[in-house]
């Protein structure tokens, strides 16, 4: 008896499913196309540009041809705002999904067009890059690239924000709260556009770039971290205090009982699960979604 049942089960598994006429059409997976930030190669990376990236599960490393991937918002409820995302990973790797692509799709639901950046990694073994030099150059280039291509994505070039997690938050501080160092490479017309973001979002940011040396000219900020975070609680509070004293609009959310890297949906605390809602509130209240934001 059991042999007949097993045979029937195997036959059913081997029989292809038959679609009915009223079955929905298969959904097409999104096409994620990497767009090089530097068409002729990033300055200082020529010798290793042809090396392939290495990716496993949620992370990627060995980045020598920095790029971004666009996640356009649905035109039906597109706000015209854009946010460029810098994943974290200690400058050793990029937490590509949980601090990158998943965040981009969450922002899309808010009507925001998102871009996720693969930047060069200064702390990866064998790296010759620097955080304040090469990685920050990639971050600034991403802002300039988005402004240069704003019309292609239905973006208002005066509503381009940046968002960074942990090490990515350090890049946010470096380019939003500090002046661009003199003598950085100028490779084409895009490099002559402004790299100063219109607003900044820092999620458990690390300490690099702090204290800010140009807080008085920094853009409005949304900052969040866990109160138990030994790495990044203090930098979050310190940046907020600097911006407040410089009369820059800033909002700070420090979550009790929370440690580092809570990301999206990675906590059993209700408050942490809802931090993206607080970001959406802030984006709406400050006028970044409807274009009514007060320009500094």
């Amino acid at each position: 008896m059991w042999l007949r049942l097993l045979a029937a089960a195997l036959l059913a598994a081997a029989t292809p499913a038959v679609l009915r006429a009223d079955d929905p059409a298969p959904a097409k997976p999104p096409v994620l196309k990497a767009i090089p930030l530097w068409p002729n190669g990033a300055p200082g990376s020529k010798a290793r540009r042809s090396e392939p990236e290495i990716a496993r599960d949620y992370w990627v490393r060995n980045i020598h041809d920095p790029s971004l991937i666009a996640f356009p918002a649905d035109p039906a409820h597109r706000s015209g705002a854009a946010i460029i995302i810098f994943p974290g990973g200690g400058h050793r790797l990029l937490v590509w999904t949980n601090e990158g692509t998943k965040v981009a799709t969450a922002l899309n639901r808010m009507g925001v067009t998102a871009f996720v950046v693969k930047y060069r990694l200064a702390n990866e073994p064998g790296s010759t890059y620097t955080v304040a030099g090469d990685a920050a150059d990639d971050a600034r280039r991403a802002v300039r690239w988005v402004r240069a291509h704003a019309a292609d994505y239905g973006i208002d070039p005066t509503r381009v924000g940046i968002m960074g997690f942990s090490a990515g938050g350090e890049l946010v501080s470096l380019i939003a709260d500090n002046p661009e160092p003199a003598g950085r490479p100028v490779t084409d017309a895009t490099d002559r556009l402004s790299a100063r973001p219109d607003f900044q979002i820092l999620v458990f940011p690390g300490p690099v770039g702090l204290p800010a040396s140009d807080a008085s000219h920094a853009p409005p900020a949304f900052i969040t971290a866990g109160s138990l975070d030994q790495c990044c609680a203090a930098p979050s509070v310190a940046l907020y205090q600097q911006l407040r004293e410089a009369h820059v609009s800033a909002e700070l959310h420090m979550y009790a009982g929370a440690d580092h890297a809570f990301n999206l949906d990675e906590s059993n605390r209700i408050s942490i699960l809802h931090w993206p809602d607080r970001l959406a509130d802030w984006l709406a209240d400050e006028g970044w979604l409807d274009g009514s934001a007060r320009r500094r």
Side-chain angles (χ1 to χ4, degrees), residues 1-7:
M1 178 67 180
W2 67 270
L3 288 174
R4 288 198 299 271
L5 292 174
L6 177 60

Side-chain angles (χ1 to χ4, degrees), residues 53-140:
E53 295 173 356
I54 299 172
R56 298 287 187 277
D57 303 322
Y58 64 88
W59 57 264
V60 62
R61 64 173 180 82
N62 209 50
I63 297 161
H64 305 290
D65 190 12
S67 62
L68 55 73
I69 291 178
F71 289 76
D74 186 337
H77 68 282
R78 184 172 60 204
S79 69
I83 293 178
I84 303 163
I85 303 165
F86 306 116
H91 302 288
R92 293 183 298 276
L93 52 78
L94 297 183
V95 183
W96 183 245
T97 56
N98 295 349
E99 297 179 1
T101 57
K102 290 182 180 180
V103 180
T105 56
L107 292 172
N108 285 168
R109 292 192 290 270
M110 302 177 194
V112 175
T113 291
F115 300 85
V116 188
V117 179
K118 289 180 180 175
Y119 55 88
R120 286 170 286 178
L121 300 168
N123 294 339
E124 187 176 11
S127 175
T128 59
Y129 304 129
T130 65
V131 175
D134 304 293
D137 281 348
D138 295 342
R140 293 189 186 95

Side-chain angles (χ1 to χ4, degrees), residues 2 8 20 29 52 61 124 160 162 187-188 202 208 244 246 271 275 289 291:
W2 67 270
R20 301 197 310 264
R61 64 173 180 82
E124 187 176 11
V160 176
I162 58 176
T187 61
D188 56 19
L202 303 101
V208 174
R244 190 187 70 82
S271 58
W275 80 259
L289 298 183

Side-chain angles (χ1 to χ4, degrees), residues 21 161 167 228 291:
L228 302 181

